[in-house]
Amino acid sequence: MDKLKTVLSGQDSEDRGGLSEVAEAASLSWGTRIKGFIACFATGVLCSLLGTLLLWVPRKGLYLFVVFYTLGNIASIGSTIFLMGPVRQLKRMFEPTRLIATIMVLLCFALTLCSVFWWHKKGLALIFCILQSLALTWYSLSFIPFARDAVKKCFTVFLA
């Protein structure tokens, strides 16, 4: 059926370059992409929940929490690579509409880990975990049309 579509559209299979054939052969089916997305997202949520449970472990609880919580958030963002592909995901992450949100998320990831392992400031690590969640939420809302505008409007109505 695909060959029929290419012939009818005027594209001959001989005109295709070797790179496009490799990309087509290496691409995942839609079902596999969905399964990969679900598995990676579920792993991210599980890591975040595990980190929250490990928060109450004596002495090393905060360290484990920060690591698992940050890895969980990274896995959750990484899960969308299965849906869009890595190149398209990176291009969309750094579009002007979500550039600041992307930088904030990545910065919060780094600052959370630095505050607990390098600076040894537990309170600061918890603050950065909260900021990490807020930045990730704002970043995620940037993919939904008009969602950030709706949130802004809700907060202005609530604060007014």
Side-chain angles (χ1 to χ4, degrees), residues 28-46 72-85 89 140 143:
L28 301 173
S29 69
W30 184 247
T32 305
R33 287 175 181 264
I34 295 294
K35 289 174 189 172
F37 167 76
I38 291 171
C40 196
F41 189 77
T43 302
V45 170
L46 184 66
N73 284 337
I74 290 170
S76 295
I77 287 179
S79 66
T80 57
I81 289 175
F82 285 99
L83 298 178
M84 290 189 235
Q89 171 71 16
S140 299
F143 285 95

PDB file of all heavy atoms in Angstrom, residues 28-46 72-85 89 140 143:
ATOM      1  N   LEU A  28      10.270   3.161  14.932  1.00  0.00           N
ATOM      2  CA  LEU A  28       9.406   2.268  15.687  1.00  0.00           C
ATOM      3  C   LEU A  28       7.970   2.398  15.199  1.00  0.00           C
ATOM      4  O   LEU A  28       7.552   3.459  14.749  1.00  0.00           O
ATOM      5  CB  LEU A  28       9.468   2.626  17.177  1.00  0.00           C
ATOM      6  CG  LEU A  28      10.836   2.557  17.844  1.00  0.00           C
ATOM      7  CD1 LEU A  28      10.753   3.105  19.261  1.00  0.00           C
ATOM      8  CD2 LEU A  28      11.359   1.147  17.852  1.00  0.00           C
ATOM      9  N   SER A  29       7.229   1.329  15.351  1.00  0.00           N
ATOM     10  CA  SER A  29       5.807   1.400  15.005  1.00  0.00           C
ATOM     11  C   SER A  29       5.089   2.229  16.068  1.00  0.00           C
ATOM     12  O   SER A  29       5.603   2.459  17.165  1.00  0.00           O
ATOM     13  CB  SER A  29       5.214  -0.005  14.940  1.00  0.00           C
ATOM     14  OG  SER A  29       5.156  -0.577  16.234  1.00  0.00           O
ATOM     15  N   TRP A  30       3.878   2.675  15.746  1.00  0.00           N
ATOM     16  CA  TRP A  30       3.127   3.516  16.686  1.00  0.00           C
ATOM     17  C   TRP A  30       2.821   2.761  17.971  1.00  0.00           C
ATOM     18  O   TRP A  30       2.900   3.305  19.068  1.00  0.00           O
ATOM     19  CB  TRP A  30       1.861   4.031  16.013  1.00  0.00           C
ATOM     20  CG  TRP A  30       1.107   4.972  16.886  1.00  0.00           C
ATOM     21  CD1 TRP A  30      -0.107   4.780  17.443  1.00  0.00           C
ATOM     22  CD2 TRP A  30       1.535   6.271  17.343  1.00  0.00           C
ATOM     23  NE1 TRP A  30      -0.464   5.865  18.211  1.00  0.00           N
ATOM     24  CE2 TRP A  30       0.526   6.793  18.164  1.00  0.00           C
ATOM     25  CE3 TRP A  30       2.682   7.014  17.130  1.00  0.00           C
ATOM     26  CZ2 TRP A  30       0.621   8.021  18.772  1.00  0.00           C
ATOM     27  CZ3 TRP A  30       2.775   8.266  17.741  1.00  0.00           C
ATOM     28  CH2 TRP A  30       1.755   8.746  18.545  1.00  0.00           C
ATOM     29  N   GLY A  31       2.496   1.487  17.858  1.00  0.00           N
ATOM     30  CA  GLY A  31       2.211   0.678  19.049  1.00  0.00           C
ATOM     31  C   GLY A  31       3.423   0.539  19.952  1.00  0.00           C
ATOM     32  O   GLY A  31       3.321   0.621  21.182  1.00  0.00           O
ATOM     33  N   THR A  32       4.596   0.354  19.338  1.00  0.00           N
ATOM     34  CA  THR A  32       5.832   0.255  20.112  1.00  0.00           C
ATOM     35  C   THR A  32       6.157   1.587  20.776  1.00  0.00           C
ATOM     36  O   THR A  32       6.623   1.633  21.915  1.00  0.00           O
ATOM     37  CB  THR A  32       6.994  -0.182  19.206  1.00  0.00           C
ATOM     38  OG1 THR A  32       6.635  -1.400  18.552  1.00  0.00           O
ATOM     39  CG2 THR A  32       8.261  -0.388  19.996  1.00  0.00           C
ATOM     40  N   ARG A  33       5.893   2.675  20.082  1.00  0.00           N
ATOM     41  CA  ARG A  33       6.132   4.005  20.660  1.00  0.00           C
ATOM     42  C   ARG A  33       5.242   4.230  21.885  1.00  0.00           C
ATOM     43  O   ARG A  33       5.690   4.757  22.892  1.00  0.00           O
ATOM     44  CB  ARG A  33       5.864   5.091  19.624  1.00  0.00           C
ATOM     45  CG  ARG A  33       6.911   5.173  18.561  1.00  0.00           C
ATOM     46  CD  ARG A  33       6.503   6.205  17.513  1.00  0.00           C
ATOM     47  NE  ARG A  33       7.474   6.310  16.460  1.00  0.00           N
ATOM     48  CZ  ARG A  33       8.438   7.229  16.423  1.00  0.00           C
ATOM     49  NH1 ARG A  33       8.529   8.129  17.361  1.00  0.00           N
ATOM     50  NH2 ARG A  33       9.305   7.247  15.440  1.00  0.00           N
ATOM     51  N   ILE A  34       3.987   3.860  21.779  1.00  0.00           N
ATOM     52  CA  ILE A  34       3.056   4.017  22.904  1.00  0.00           C
ATOM     53  C   ILE A  34       3.511   3.168  24.092  1.00  0.00           C
ATOM     54  O   ILE A  34       3.507   3.625  25.237  1.00  0.00           O
ATOM     55  CB  ILE A  34       1.610   3.664  22.492  1.00  0.00           C
ATOM     56  CG1 ILE A  34       1.083   4.648  21.456  1.00  0.00           C
ATOM     57  CG2 ILE A  34       0.687   3.579  23.693  1.00  0.00           C
ATOM     58  CD1 ILE A  34       0.907   6.057  21.982  1.00  0.00           C
ATOM     59  N   LYS A  35       3.917   1.932  23.811  1.00  0.00           N
ATOM     60  CA  LYS A  35       4.394   1.062  24.893  1.00  0.00           C
ATOM     61  C   LYS A  35       5.654   1.632  25.539  1.00  0.00           C
ATOM     62  O   LYS A  35       5.796   1.602  26.762  1.00  0.00           O
ATOM     63  CB  LYS A  35       4.672  -0.340  24.350  1.00  0.00           C
ATOM     64  CG  LYS A  35       3.425  -1.108  23.984  1.00  0.00           C
ATOM     65  CD  LYS A  35       3.770  -2.426  23.332  1.00  0.00           C
ATOM     66  CE  LYS A  35       2.521  -3.088  22.775  1.00  0.00           C
ATOM     67  NZ  LYS A  35       2.853  -4.270  21.968  1.00  0.00           N
ATOM     68  N   GLY A  36       6.562   2.160  24.745  1.00  0.00           N
ATOM     69  CA  GLY A  36       7.775   2.775  25.277  1.00  0.00           C
ATOM     70  C   GLY A  36       7.461   4.000  26.113  1.00  0.00           C
ATOM     71  O   GLY A  36       8.056   4.211  27.176  1.00  0.00           O
ATOM     72  N   PHE A  37       6.520   4.819  25.630  1.00  0.00           N
ATOM     73  CA  PHE A  37       6.098   6.006  26.380  1.00  0.00           C
ATOM     74  C   PHE A  37       5.527   5.605  27.737  1.00  0.00           C
ATOM     75  O   PHE A  37       5.907   6.160  28.778  1.00  0.00           O
ATOM     76  CB  PHE A  37       5.062   6.798  25.582  1.00  0.00           C
ATOM     77  CG  PHE A  37       4.354   7.841  26.387  1.00  0.00           C
ATOM     78  CD1 PHE A  37       4.983   9.038  26.705  1.00  0.00           C
ATOM     79  CD2 PHE A  37       3.066   7.630  26.844  1.00  0.00           C
ATOM     80  CE1 PHE A  37       4.340   9.998  27.466  1.00  0.00           C
ATOM     81  CE2 PHE A  37       2.412   8.587  27.591  1.00  0.00           C
ATOM     82  CZ  PHE A  37       3.051   9.771  27.906  1.00  0.00           C
ATOM     83  N   ILE A  38       4.620   4.640  27.731  1.00  0.00           N
ATOM     84  CA  ILE A  38       3.975   4.209  28.979  1.00  0.00           C
ATOM     85  C   ILE A  38       5.004   3.619  29.941  1.00  0.00           C
ATOM     86  O   ILE A  38       4.996   3.922  31.139  1.00  0.00           O
ATOM     87  CB  ILE A  38       2.830   3.218  28.684  1.00  0.00           C
ATOM     88  CG1 ILE A  38       1.681   3.949  27.980  1.00  0.00           C
ATOM     89  CG2 ILE A  38       2.343   2.530  29.946  1.00  0.00           C
ATOM     90  CD1 ILE A  38       0.601   3.043  27.438  1.00  0.00           C
ATOM     91  N   ALA A  39       5.906   2.788  29.423  1.00  0.00           N
ATOM     92  CA  ALA A  39       6.919   2.166  30.284  1.00  0.00           C
ATOM     93  C   ALA A  39       7.850   3.216  30.888  1.00  0.00           C
ATOM     94  O   ALA A  39       8.144   3.183  32.087  1.00  0.00           O
ATOM     95  CB  ALA A  39       7.717   1.142  29.494  1.00  0.00           C
ATOM     96  N   CYS A  40       8.300   4.154  30.086  1.00  0.00           N
ATOM     97  CA  CYS A  40       9.224   5.182  30.576  1.00  0.00           C
ATOM     98  C   CYS A  40       8.518   6.131  31.547  1.00  0.00           C
ATOM     99  O   CYS A  40       9.077   6.503  32.587  1.00  0.00           O
ATOM    100  CB  CYS A  40       9.808   5.943  29.394  1.00  0.00           C
ATOM    101  SG  CYS A  40      11.270   6.905  29.780  1.00  0.00           S
ATOM    102  N   PHE A  41       7.286   6.512  31.226  1.00  0.00           N
ATOM    103  CA  PHE A  41       6.536   7.402  32.108  1.00  0.00           C
ATOM    104  C   PHE A  41       6.224   6.705  33.432  1.00  0.00           C
ATOM    105  O   PHE A  41       6.343   7.311  34.505  1.00  0.00           O
ATOM    106  CB  PHE A  41       5.251   7.872  31.421  1.00  0.00           C
ATOM    107  CG  PHE A  41       4.531   8.943  32.171  1.00  0.00           C
ATOM    108  CD1 PHE A  41       4.989  10.253  32.135  1.00  0.00           C
ATOM    109  CD2 PHE A  41       3.408   8.652  32.938  1.00  0.00           C
ATOM    110  CE1 PHE A  41       4.342  11.251  32.834  1.00  0.00           C
ATOM    111  CE2 PHE A  41       2.751   9.644  33.639  1.00  0.00           C
ATOM    112  CZ  PHE A  41       3.219  10.947  33.586  1.00  0.00           C
ATOM    113  N   ALA A  42       5.824   5.430  33.372  1.00  0.00           N
ATOM    114  CA  ALA A  42       5.535   4.677  34.596  1.00  0.00           C
ATOM    115  C   ALA A  42       6.791   4.524  35.449  1.00  0.00           C
ATOM    116  O   ALA A  42       6.736   4.620  36.685  1.00  0.00           O
ATOM    117  CB  ALA A  42       4.962   3.310  34.248  1.00  0.00           C
ATOM    118  N   THR A  43       7.934   4.314  34.806  1.00  0.00           N
ATOM    119  CA  THR A  43       9.203   4.241  35.532  1.00  0.00           C
ATOM    120  C   THR A  43       9.497   5.568  36.221  1.00  0.00           C
ATOM    121  O   THR A  43       9.943   5.596  37.377  1.00  0.00           O
ATOM    122  CB  THR A  43      10.356   3.874  34.578  1.00  0.00           C
ATOM    123  OG1 THR A  43      10.054   2.621  33.960  1.00  0.00           O
ATOM    124  CG2 THR A  43      11.672   3.792  35.294  1.00  0.00           C
ATOM    125  N   GLY A  44       9.230   6.670  35.532  1.00  0.00           N
ATOM    126  CA  GLY A  44       9.432   7.990  36.122  1.00  0.00           C
ATOM    127  C   GLY A  44       8.552   8.223  37.334  1.00  0.00           C
ATOM    128  O   GLY A  44       9.012   8.716  38.371  1.00  0.00           O
ATOM    129  N   VAL A  45       7.291   7.873  37.214  1.00  0.00           N
ATOM    130  CA  VAL A  45       6.359   8.042  38.335  1.00  0.00           C
ATOM    131  C   VAL A  45       6.765   7.133  39.497  1.00  0.00           C
ATOM    132  O   VAL A  45       6.758   7.550  40.659  1.00  0.00           O
ATOM    133  CB  VAL A  45       4.908   7.762  37.882  1.00  0.00           C
ATOM    134  CG1 VAL A  45       3.962   7.681  39.053  1.00  0.00           C
ATOM    135  CG2 VAL A  45       4.451   8.825  36.899  1.00  0.00           C
ATOM    136  N   LEU A  46       7.157   5.911  39.176  1.00  0.00           N
ATOM    137  CA  LEU A  46       7.587   4.974  40.215  1.00  0.00           C
ATOM    138  C   LEU A  46       8.833   5.479  40.943  1.00  0.00           C
ATOM    139  O   LEU A  46       8.907   5.407  42.174  1.00  0.00           O
ATOM    140  CB  LEU A  46       7.845   3.593  39.598  1.00  0.00           C
ATOM    141  CG  LEU A  46       8.209   2.488  40.569  1.00  0.00           C
ATOM    142  CD1 LEU A  46       7.022   2.186  41.484  1.00  0.00           C
ATOM    143  CD2 LEU A  46       8.614   1.237  39.812  1.00  0.00           C
ATOM    144  N   GLY A  72      13.213  10.414  38.360  1.00  0.00           N
ATOM    145  CA  GLY A  72      11.825  10.181  37.955  1.00  0.00           C
ATOM    146  C   GLY A  72      11.311  11.271  37.040  1.00  0.00           C
ATOM    147  O   GLY A  72      10.640  10.996  36.041  1.00  0.00           O
ATOM    148  N   ASN A  73      11.637  12.517  37.358  1.00  0.00           N
ATOM    149  CA  ASN A  73      11.211  13.622  36.497  1.00  0.00           C
ATOM    150  C   ASN A  73      11.922  13.592  35.148  1.00  0.00           C
ATOM    151  O   ASN A  73      11.313  13.879  34.116  1.00  0.00           O
ATOM    152  CB  ASN A  73      11.445  14.960  37.195  1.00  0.00           C
ATOM    153  CG  ASN A  73      10.420  15.234  38.266  1.00  0.00           C
ATOM    154  OD1 ASN A  73       9.322  14.691  38.244  1.00  0.00           O
ATOM    155  ND2 ASN A  73      10.766  16.061  39.224  1.00  0.00           N
ATOM    156  N   ILE A  74      13.189  13.226  35.139  1.00  0.00           N
ATOM    157  CA  ILE A  74      13.922  13.116  33.878  1.00  0.00           C
ATOM    158  C   ILE A  74      13.330  11.993  33.019  1.00  0.00           C
ATOM    159  O   ILE A  74      13.160  12.148  31.811  1.00  0.00           O
ATOM    160  CB  ILE A  74      15.426  12.893  34.145  1.00  0.00           C
ATOM    161  CG1 ILE A  74      16.035  14.166  34.727  1.00  0.00           C
ATOM    162  CG2 ILE A  74      16.157  12.476  32.875  1.00  0.00           C
ATOM    163  CD1 ILE A  74      17.454  13.997  35.242  1.00  0.00           C
ATOM    164  N   ALA A  75      12.999  10.871  33.643  1.00  0.00           N
ATOM    165  CA  ALA A  75      12.385   9.768  32.902  1.00  0.00           C
ATOM    166  C   ALA A  75      11.014  10.163  32.361  1.00  0.00           C
ATOM    167  O   ALA A  75      10.638   9.773  31.248  1.00  0.00           O
ATOM    168  CB  ALA A  75      12.264   8.528  33.792  1.00  0.00           C
ATOM    169  N   SER A  76      10.271  10.943  33.124  1.00  0.00           N
ATOM    170  CA  SER A  76       8.955  11.391  32.654  1.00  0.00           C
ATOM    171  C   SER A  76       9.079  12.296  31.437  1.00  0.00           C
ATOM    172  O   SER A  76       8.318  12.172  30.478  1.00  0.00           O
ATOM    173  CB  SER A  76       8.211  12.124  33.768  1.00  0.00           C
ATOM    174  OG  SER A  76       7.937  11.244  34.824  1.00  0.00           O
ATOM    175  N   ILE A  77      10.046  13.208  31.456  1.00  0.00           N
ATOM    176  CA  ILE A  77      10.283  14.041  30.276  1.00  0.00           C
ATOM    177  C   ILE A  77      10.799  13.186  29.125  1.00  0.00           C
ATOM    178  O   ILE A  77      10.392  13.345  27.982  1.00  0.00           O
ATOM    179  CB  ILE A  77      11.284  15.173  30.580  1.00  0.00           C
ATOM    180  CG1 ILE A  77      10.627  16.235  31.438  1.00  0.00           C
ATOM    181  CG2 ILE A  77      11.799  15.808  29.294  1.00  0.00           C
ATOM    182  CD1 ILE A  77      11.549  17.369  31.814  1.00  0.00           C
ATOM    183  N   GLY A  78      11.687  12.257  29.439  1.00  0.00           N
ATOM    184  CA  GLY A  78      12.250  11.386  28.414  1.00  0.00           C
ATOM    185  C   GLY A  78      11.227  10.485  27.751  1.00  0.00           C
ATOM    186  O   GLY A  78      11.426  10.035  26.621  1.00  0.00           O
ATOM    187  N   SER A  79      10.133  10.226  28.425  1.00  0.00           N
ATOM    188  CA  SER A  79       9.110   9.351  27.846  1.00  0.00           C
ATOM    189  C   SER A  79       8.507   9.949  26.577  1.00  0.00           C
ATOM    190  O   SER A  79       8.102   9.214  25.679  1.00  0.00           O
ATOM    191  CB  SER A  79       8.014   9.063  28.873  1.00  0.00           C
ATOM    192  OG  SER A  79       7.300  10.242  29.176  1.00  0.00           O
ATOM    193  N   THR A  80       8.488  11.265  26.482  1.00  0.00           N
ATOM    194  CA  THR A  80       7.903  11.878  25.290  1.00  0.00           C
ATOM    195  C   THR A  80       8.789  11.707  24.058  1.00  0.00           C
ATOM    196  O   THR A  80       8.336  11.930  22.944  1.00  0.00           O
ATOM    197  CB  THR A  80       7.632  13.375  25.522  1.00  0.00           C
ATOM    198  OG1 THR A  80       8.849  14.023  25.894  1.00  0.00           O
ATOM    199  CG2 THR A  80       6.588  13.586  26.602  1.00  0.00           C
ATOM    200  N   ILE A  81      10.031  11.311  24.268  1.00  0.00           N
ATOM    201  CA  ILE A  81      10.909  11.019  23.128  1.00  0.00           C
ATOM    202  C   ILE A  81      10.338   9.872  22.309  1.00  0.00           C
ATOM    203  O   ILE A  81      10.472   9.845  21.083  1.00  0.00           O
ATOM    204  CB  ILE A  81      12.340  10.714  23.620  1.00  0.00           C
ATOM    205  CG1 ILE A  81      12.984  12.000  24.126  1.00  0.00           C
ATOM    206  CG2 ILE A  81      13.188  10.082  22.532  1.00  0.00           C
ATOM    207  CD1 ILE A  81      14.340  11.817  24.753  1.00  0.00           C
ATOM    208  N   PHE A  82       9.664   8.936  22.972  1.00  0.00           N
ATOM    209  CA  PHE A  82       9.054   7.826  22.242  1.00  0.00           C
ATOM    210  C   PHE A  82       7.925   8.303  21.332  1.00  0.00           C
ATOM    211  O   PHE A  82       7.700   7.735  20.274  1.00  0.00           O
ATOM    212  CB  PHE A  82       8.512   6.765  23.209  1.00  0.00           C
ATOM    213  CG  PHE A  82       9.577   5.921  23.822  1.00  0.00           C
ATOM    214  CD1 PHE A  82      10.046   6.194  25.094  1.00  0.00           C
ATOM    215  CD2 PHE A  82      10.133   4.863  23.124  1.00  0.00           C
ATOM    216  CE1 PHE A  82      11.032   5.422  25.663  1.00  0.00           C
ATOM    217  CE2 PHE A  82      11.124   4.082  23.678  1.00  0.00           C
ATOM    218  CZ  PHE A  82      11.581   4.364  24.958  1.00  0.00           C
ATOM    219  N   LEU A  83       7.228   9.334  21.751  1.00  0.00           N
ATOM    220  CA  LEU A  83       6.114   9.825  20.938  1.00  0.00           C
ATOM    221  C   LEU A  83       6.577  10.714  19.795  1.00  0.00           C
ATOM    222  O   LEU A  83       6.065  10.623  18.680  1.00  0.00           O
ATOM    223  CB  LEU A  83       5.124  10.598  21.810  1.00  0.00           C
ATOM    224  CG  LEU A  83       4.450   9.799  22.909  1.00  0.00           C
ATOM    225  CD1 LEU A  83       3.531  10.697  23.718  1.00  0.00           C
ATOM    226  CD2 LEU A  83       3.684   8.627  22.340  1.00  0.00           C
ATOM    227  N   MET A  84       7.544  11.581  20.046  1.00  0.00           N
ATOM    228  CA  MET A  84       7.973  12.566  19.050  1.00  0.00           C
ATOM    229  C   MET A  84       9.257  12.195  18.334  1.00  0.00           C
ATOM    230  O   MET A  84       9.509  12.689  17.249  1.00  0.00           O
ATOM    231  CB  MET A  84       8.197  13.918  19.721  1.00  0.00           C
ATOM    232  CG  MET A  84       6.973  14.595  20.193  1.00  0.00           C
ATOM    233  SD  MET A  84       7.395  16.245  20.702  1.00  0.00           S
ATOM    234  CE  MET A  84       6.782  16.245  22.346  1.00  0.00           C
ATOM    235  N   GLY A  85      10.092  11.425  18.967  1.00  0.00           N
ATOM    236  CA  GLY A  85      11.431  11.180  18.451  1.00  0.00           C
ATOM    237  C   GLY A  85      12.392  12.147  19.107  1.00  0.00           C
ATOM    238  O   GLY A  85      12.004  13.249  19.501  1.00  0.00           O
ATOM    239  N   GLN A  89      11.820  16.220  19.655  1.00  0.00           N
ATOM    240  CA  GLN A  89      11.646  16.587  21.062  1.00  0.00           C
ATOM    241  C   GLN A  89      12.592  17.719  21.446  1.00  0.00           C
ATOM    242  O   GLN A  89      12.187  18.690  22.068  1.00  0.00           O
ATOM    243  CB  GLN A  89      11.891  15.366  21.951  1.00  0.00           C
ATOM    244  CG  GLN A  89      11.955  15.656  23.421  1.00  0.00           C
ATOM    245  CD  GLN A  89      10.626  16.020  24.036  1.00  0.00           C
ATOM    246  OE1 GLN A  89       9.579  15.798  23.450  1.00  0.00           O
ATOM    247  NE2 GLN A  89      10.659  16.585  25.210  1.00  0.00           N
ATOM    248  N   SER A 140       5.252  21.424  31.022  1.00  0.00           N
ATOM    249  CA  SER A 140       4.256  20.504  30.459  1.00  0.00           C
ATOM    250  C   SER A 140       3.042  21.258  29.923  1.00  0.00           C
ATOM    251  O   SER A 140       2.479  20.891  28.891  1.00  0.00           O
ATOM    252  CB  SER A 140       3.804  19.493  31.512  1.00  0.00           C
ATOM    253  OG  SER A 140       4.899  18.734  31.946  1.00  0.00           O
ATOM    254  N   PHE A 143       2.863  22.584  26.215  1.00  0.00           N
ATOM    255  CA  PHE A 143       2.502  21.726  25.090  1.00  0.00           C
ATOM    256  C   PHE A 143       0.995  21.688  24.850  1.00  0.00           C
ATOM    257  O   PHE A 143       0.548  21.159  23.845  1.00  0.00           O
ATOM    258  CB  PHE A 143       3.030  20.302  25.302  1.00  0.00           C
ATOM    259  CG  PHE A 143       4.506  20.184  25.080  1.00  0.00           C
ATOM    260  CD1 PHE A 143       5.383  20.263  26.143  1.00  0.00           C
ATOM    261  CD2 PHE A 143       5.018  20.021  23.811  1.00  0.00           C
ATOM    262  CE1 PHE A 143       6.754  20.165  25.944  1.00  0.00           C
ATOM    263  CE2 PHE A 143       6.381  19.922  23.595  1.00  0.00           C
ATOM    264  CZ  PHE A 143       7.246  19.994  24.666  1.00  0.00           C
TER     265      PHE A 143
END
